[in-house]
Amino acid sequence: MRILLIHIFLFIFVFQSNAQISDFQHISFEKADEIALKYKDETLHNLPDLVYKLTSELETDAERFRAIFKWVCSSVGNDYKLYNRNKRKRQRFKNDSVRLDQWNTKFQKIVFRRLLKDRTTICTGYAYLVKELANLADIDCEMVHGYARTSTMNIKTLDTPNHSWNAVKLNGKWYLCDPTWASGIPNPETYHFQFDFNSGFFLSDPKIFAVNHHPLDKKWFLLEGEKPSFQAFLDAPIIYGKAYTYFSDHSYPQKLHNEIQKNTNFNFKLELHKEIEKDDVNLIIESSFRERKIYPKQISIQNQSLSIDYKFEFAGFYDVHLYIKDDLISTYTVEVTR
């Protein structure tokens, strides 16, 4: 694939499914965001004082948590070099529990030292800081550990947990957030980090969250009924950060790799939480010989559901990228047989 190689990066509960940002449509987070940006240069040396500055002028827990979340995502940089160092060490020691424990202990100190001194961190630091600040504001918030997938990840080596995020309780319901992915985009080659807040990772719908997040403790799926298997998580399409901006669920296809016969429709189905126009939808289809931008003719938007049908007329192998305007949403591979 040539397109977009850099994209990322309690114990008695009453869970209610599909908790998400739409529960708070009546609340404007504008004031919370303004406060977070006003204090974005504050240090981490006095967390109670920081929490007071961020939350004292806000009326609801949802606004207070938004200010905390926005502050973390706008003030703490992603240290991708440190992430890669930890990844290599954990892979190296995965079969040596003693050395792995020693490294984890050492690495925890490194993470908190970097966070305090440089305001840079990795996912564990992001999730820890959100939890601590929220708890200081008397908001229930937990760290969630598990697996996550990005477009640059080799799933063949995804055999140990590699990500952390948060669950927060607001108005008696639990919600999911990913401050690491909400904060911006690291460049895996240069290690440069660009702040670019993605509100889609704030109180995300659990259905789309589960496509590229797999918690170790299944209760943190926040989904009713049978939970997605780890194999389904590994097989899933690649979805990108902008998908969270437009969609609450990715229904079909459920796998990255697909096989169909030629002259057969290939169907996409995603659930919307933001209005789009049919003309905004386009596909970029890559083969060994060429790359084409297609505006599919068979598009349906009904009851907050987007459905797309595209017919492959020639056999071959294709990479298919779904876009809304210029925003990359998801990627699939399609083998078209005769």
Side-chain angles (χ1 to χ4, degrees), residues 233-251:
F233 164 76
L234 294 178
D235 291 341
I238 297 170
I239 64 168
Y240 302 89
K242 290 298 184 181
Y244 286 75
T245 302
Y246 296 96
F247 300 103
S248 61
D249 191 16
H250 182 293
S251 303

Side-chain angles (χ1 to χ4, degrees), residues 99-251:
R99 297 192 69 182
L100 181 60
D101 286 344
Q102 290 174 344
W103 166 249
N104 286 338
T105 300
K106 179 180 179 180
F107 185 68
Q108 186 177 48
K109 295 177 182 178
I110 295 172
V111 168
F112 291 115
R113 186 165 61 246
R114 292 276 184 92
L115 182 60
L116 188 63
K117 180 182 177 181
D118 303 326
R119 285 200 320 187
T120 61
T121 192
I122 63 169
C123 59
T124 307
Y126 277 108
Y128 170 81
L129 186 56
V130 168
K131 175 184 182 298
E132 289 300 304
L133 295 176
N135 290 166
L136 285 169
D138 293 324
I139 298 171
D140 287 340
C141 186
E142 297 291 337
M143 291 178 65
V144 181
H145 305 291
Y147 301 84
R149 289 183 59 198
T150 66
S151 60
T152 58
M153 189 169 296
N154 181 1
I155 62 171
K156 294 180 180 179
T157 62
L158 191 57
D159 52 5
T160 56
N162 67 335
H163 197 47
S164 300
W165 55 94
N166 293 101
V168 59
K169 194 174 187 180
L170 301 169
N171 297 342
K173 293 173 65 172
W174 287 94
Y175 298 82
L176 297 170
C177 297
D178 190 331
T180 309
W181 290 5
S183 62
I185 303 171
N187 187 315
E189 297 178 358
T190 65
Y191 297 128
H192 174 73
F193 178 69
Q194 176 183 343
F195 283 103
D196 185 15
F197 182 67
N198 185 338
S199 61
F201 291 110
F202 175 74
L203 312 185
S204 304
D205 191 297
K207 296 189 298 297
I208 195 168
F209 208 81
V211 177
N212 55 3
H213 294 76
H214 192 89
L216 291 175
D217 190 335
K218 289 189 175 182
K219 68 190 175 188
W220 291 124
F221 276 113
L222 303 189
L223 293 170
E224 291 182 340
E226 186 177 355
K227 308 303 186 288
S229 68
F230 188 65
Q231 188 59 51
F233 164 76
L234 294 178
D235 291 341
I238 297 170
I239 64 168
Y240 302 89
K242 290 298 184 181
Y244 286 75
T245 302
Y246 296 96
F247 300 103
S248 61
D249 191 16
H250 182 293
S251 303

Side-chain angles (χ1 to χ4, degrees), residues 44-99:
L44 294 170
H45 292 88
N46 189 337
L47 295 188
D49 181 62
L50 174 59
V51 169
Y52 178 80
K53 290 176 179 177
L54 292 174
T55 63
S56 61
E57 298 179 30
L58 299 171
E59 296 182 1
T60 67
D61 278 349
E63 292 172 281
R64 287 188 277 270
F65 182 71
R66 171 65 173 227
I68 289 168
F69 186 83
K70 176 78 171 183
W71 185 89
V72 171
C73 295
S74 303
S75 305
V76 178
N78 190 319
D79 192 336
Y80 196 78
K81 188 173 184 179
L82 183 62
Y83 166 80
N84 269 345
R85 180 185 177 191
N86 183 46
K87 180 180 175 182
R88 290 193 300 269
K89 290 285 189 179
R90 288 177 63 84
Q91 191 66 26
R92 179 181 174 186
F93 299 144
K94 68 178 182 178
N95 296 320
D96 187 335
S97 60
V98 173
R99 297 192 69 182

